[in-house]
Amino acid sequence: MSERGVAPYGSWRSPISSDVIVRGVVGLAEVVIDGRDVYWLESRPDEGGRNVVVYLTPDGRTEDVTPQPLNARTRVHEYGGGGFTANRGTVYFSNFADQRIFYLAPGGEPAPLSAETGRRYADMVVDRDRHRLIAVRENHAGHEPVNEIVGVDLESGEEYVLVSGNDFYSSPRLSPDGRRLGWLTWNHPNMPWDGTELMGCDLGADGFPENVEQVAGGQDESIFQPEWSPEGTLHFVSDSTGWWNLYRRREGRVEPLCEREAEFGLPQWAFGMSTYAFVSPGRIVCSYTERGSSHLAILDAESGELEPLETPYSNIAYVRAGEAGGGVIFRGSSPTEAACIVRLDPSTGLHEVLRRSGDLEIDPGYLSVPEPVEFPTENGRTAHAFFYSPKNRDYAAPDGELPPLLVMSHGGPTAASTTALDPRIQYWTSRGIAVLDVNYGGSTGYGREYRRRLEGAWGVVDVDDCANGAVYLAERGFVDGGRLMITGGSAGGYTTLCALSFRDTFAAGASHFGISDAEALARETHKFESRYLDRLIGPYPGRADLYLERSPIHSTEQLSCPVIFFQGLEDEVVPKEQAEKMFAALREKGLPVSYVPFEGEQHGFRRAENIKRALDGELYFYSRVFGFELAEPLVPDHTMLGAIGDPAG
């Protein structure tokens, strides 16, 4: 074994470069099963972020279903999801460019089904008996988009409304005999994790709803993933006990199937999510989260017994089950294995990987495995995070030196960090920079009470938890308390900017399409989130004072450390003006500040070259702030305005 070199933290040479991270990497999501046929969705950065429907052939090969330039991605709720389905070999999907529904029959060419109206479609299901699609439709013709559940004739493309009148709809699910329909609905100011209603109805001879009734849910109960069992019993996930657990509606009564302090549901930021499926009428394969990690199990619907299925994965999503013998399909990942599509035989526990998100194999000598951390925070509470210590088999730091710490604040904010292998985290740790990935109060995976900590306290609780987590590590001698950084995207960018503006814990930070003006967000954002802040901050404009008080753009006089901004120029969730105003204000103040705009990007970066530029740009920025030499010298991006030490700085 060669002798380890000695170099300062941050200066270690790493094989995990930004080029390696984006090369051949795909995002994996939305498993769909049609009989014994298996499909999933791949997001490909090297194709400009195009979403491709992929088919698993009977002999185990994969084939692209949707050819260039088609992009199977819907914009319903802006975040999309549920953008395709399949029935007897024909695939139906929403095309991103025009948002029309297309179909592709076996051996045929893609053809449009819906008219060119600007409407958007998601969560499609085929109603075979009536030769139609049932889908969530979002119509942008008026002042505020109108959401409905519609039928779309599979021959003519004619559309007609089945359910309307509320602000939002999701998860239309048809019973196996085609005679009943279930769906979720909610109204402003609720988000789907606050309060939803599960509705059900009979379908009349004309295919329209009859005898509509509320099955479960309400203003303070969140329902997730309604699903019919093979014999026609409606199942769903509810957090009525404070945890998202499984229930069913049988003989007019709602029955719990498994009551456990665990989360069988997820925040419905996108359509098409699934945490459980039926392997037989009385047996349900399900994933659930305890203390930040996922588990897979078989639930006996009669006894309530939960039988664990051993897998190497600590993050499990998009759970589906095929016909008898078809196995269970899901997306799995772990601290040492990136996301992959997996098929598992529940009778034997044997599994096989059908598709990996990339061919990047990280030598264990460069791999930092996360450690769950619980730390004290405000008001005597405990918060959660995952700590990644620096790891590089080729280097050691000089005696007595402590590593800098990069605190990561996840987006949402109603979301969660997981232990899934993220090469972007390893990018930092393999260079000698520690990472703390924080599940601040308001995160999911720890029950409804923990999720509700953020109500009325966004920009306070999340900031306290990120700052207290960093201080906790510094006080215990794990990291250098003088070199604390914070980074985040979207809502995580807001937490980052609040932490830099309203606390003195951090010495630098990076905002990726982050919110700097909460009032502008309340006024200008899209329908799905337009009342989200009512719970997180307060009703607007009634509590405009809180929005001003918690908006970093109005408190630049309190911000006194370097910041870098990364922003998509076509972002409709957080418009570019927010980053540009913040950049201009800090630059006028004379602070070291940089701004990197990305043409053609929306909310989140999907193109390989931009993912690479954001990673390298942030590392370059910190190296200039803290004065450590990079093992691989980086040339500042030509779009990086105001980089430290450059002419624009």
Side-chain angles (χ1 to χ4, degrees), residues 86-151:
N87 180 60
R88 293 175 176 169
T90 297
V91 173
Y92 302 87
F93 63 95
S94 176
N95 182 45
F96 181 71
D98 54 16
Q99 290 297 291
R100 299 171 74 181
I101 300 172
F102 277 66
Y103 68 94
L104 181 58
E109 295 293 326
L113 175 64
S114 63
E116 203 164 1
T117 60
R119 295 168 177 169
R120 305 173 181 181
Y121 308 85
D123 242 0
M124 296 172 279
V125 60
V126 175
D127 183 352
R128 293 175 179 174
D129 294 340
R130 301 168 184 88
H131 205 58
R132 66 181 178 181
L133 278 177
I134 297 176
V136 174
R137 184 179 74 185
E138 189 171 81
N139 190 343
H140 285 249
H143 174 68
E144 181 177 76
V146 174
N147 294 72
E148 300 162 316
I149 295 177
V150 300

Side-chain angles (χ1 to χ4, degrees), residues 459-612:
V460 179
V461 164
D462 49 326
V463 175
D464 285 338
D465 290 355
C466 286
N468 287 331
V471 170
Y472 175 83
L473 294 178
E475 288 180 343
R476 280 152 185 76
F478 294 120
V479 299
D480 183 349
R483 293 190 292 172
L484 303 178
M485 304 162 283
I486 184 168
T487 186
S490 188
Y494 172 70
T495 300
T496 292
L497 294 174
C498 285
L500 297 172
S501 299
F502 307 131
R503 306 289 189 278
D504 59 5
T505 306
F506 299 99
S511 169
H512 297 252
F513 43 94
I515 300 152
S516 62
D517 188 341
E519 187 178 27
L521 185 67
R523 290 195 312 260
E524 300 168 6
T525 197
H526 55 103
K527 178 186 176 182
F528 180 62
E529 290 187 272
S530 63
R531 300 289 300 280
Y532 186 23
L533 302 191
D534 282 23
R535 279 185 182 262
L536 294 180
I537 297 178
Y540 184 84
R543 293 309 312 268
D545 58 319
L546 288 178
Y547 286 78
L548 293 173
E549 178 184 313
R550 296 188 198 169
S551 293
I553 188 65
H554 300 303
S555 300
T556 53
E557 74 283 353
Q558 299 182 52
L559 202 160
S560 58
C561 67
V563 187
I564 187 168
F565 298 86
F566 299 92
Q567 179 67 41
L569 296 182
E570 296 179 12
D571 192 337
E572 293 190 18
V573 178
V574 181
K576 64 185 178 66
E577 287 75 18
Q578 292 201 30
E580 291 172 352
K581 288 178 182 177
M582 192 80 176
F583 168 68
L586 297 183
R587 193 174 189 185
E588 182 177 351
K589 187 179 177 182
L591 279 175
V593 60
S594 295
Y595 174 60
V596 186
F598 293 129
E599 291 278 358
E601 291 284 14
Q602 296 178 315
H603 196 62
F605 308 142
R606 290 176 169 82
R607 298 182 180 181
E609 64 270 23
N610 294 335
I611 296 170
K612 169 182 164 58

Side-chain angles (χ1 to χ4, degrees), residues 123-381:
D123 242 0
M124 296 172 279
V125 60
V126 175
D127 183 352
R128 293 175 179 174
D129 294 340
R130 301 168 184 88
H131 205 58
R132 66 181 178 181
L133 278 177
I134 297 176
V136 174
R137 184 179 74 185
E138 189 171 81
N139 190 343
H140 285 249
H143 174 68
E144 181 177 76
V146 174
N147 294 72
E148 300 162 316
I149 295 177
V150 300
V152 182
D153 187 274
L154 293 180
E155 290 291 341
S156 66
E158 177 190 357
E159 301 178 21
Y160 44 91
V161 176
L162 298 175
V163 183
S164 64
N166 285 351
D167 291 324
F168 300 100
Y169 295 92
S170 77
S171 312
R173 297 293 182 263
L174 194 63
S175 63
D177 62 8
R179 298 172 60 183
R180 289 186 58 78
L181 182 70
W183 67 89
L184 296 180
T185 184
W186 66 98
N187 288 300
H188 288 313
N190 274 349
M191 299 298 284
W193 47 84
D194 296 322
T196 52
E197 295 175 354
L198 172 57
M199 307 298 293
C201 72
D202 299 320
L203 291 174
D206 58 0
F208 283 83
E210 296 178 347
N211 306 318
V212 177
E213 63 172 340
Q214 182 175 334
V215 175
Q219 285 298 304
D220 294 303
E221 179 183 353
S222 173
I223 307 294
F224 173 84
Q225 194 192 341
E227 210 76 63
W228 298 90
S229 68
E231 81 279 13
T233 299
L234 186 58
H235 290 62
F236 57 94
V237 174
S238 167
D239 72 347
S240 58
T241 63
W243 297 86
W244 270 316
N245 282 184
L246 269 162
Y247 295 79
R248 69 182 170 197
R249 166 76 175 275
R250 187 167 66 170
E251 298 178 353
R253 293 183 294 110
V254 171
E255 304 172 343
L257 296 183
C258 177
E259 293 184 292
R260 188 184 184 103
E261 290 191 353
E263 300 281 53
F264 290 77
L266 297 166
Q268 297 175 71
W269 279 106
F271 298 94
M273 294 178 171
S274 174
T275 60
Y276 71 94
F278 295 91
V279 293
S280 67
R283 287 167 59 81
I284 302 170
V285 60
C286 51
S287 67
Y288 59 93
T289 302
E290 284 182 327
R291 301 177 71 82
S293 290
S294 291
H295 306 269
L296 195 67
I298 293 289
L299 174 64
D300 186 301
E302 298 307 320
S303 68
E305 181 181 348
L306 201 63
E307 177 189 344
L309 290 171
E310 295 300 325
T311 77
Y313 306 107
S314 61
N315 185 257
I316 297 168
Y318 300 109
V319 177
R320 300 290 185 189
E323 292 181 348
V328 174
I329 315 293
F330 60 89
R331 187 187 70 188
S333 56
S334 76
T336 57
E337 185 171 1
C340 49
I341 300 296
V342 180
R343 175 160 50 200
L344 179 140
D345 183 340
S347 63
T348 64
L350 297 177
H351 72 277
E352 61 175 321
V353 174
L354 304 176
R355 178 70 161 105
R356 298 186 187 278
S357 58
D359 56 8
L360 173 62
E361 293 187 9
I362 301 177
D363 185 301
Y366 303 101
L367 187 63
S368 179
V369 176
E371 302 172 31
V373 175
E374 296 183 1
F375 56 89
T377 189
E378 304 304 308
N379 301 313
R381 292 169 164 172

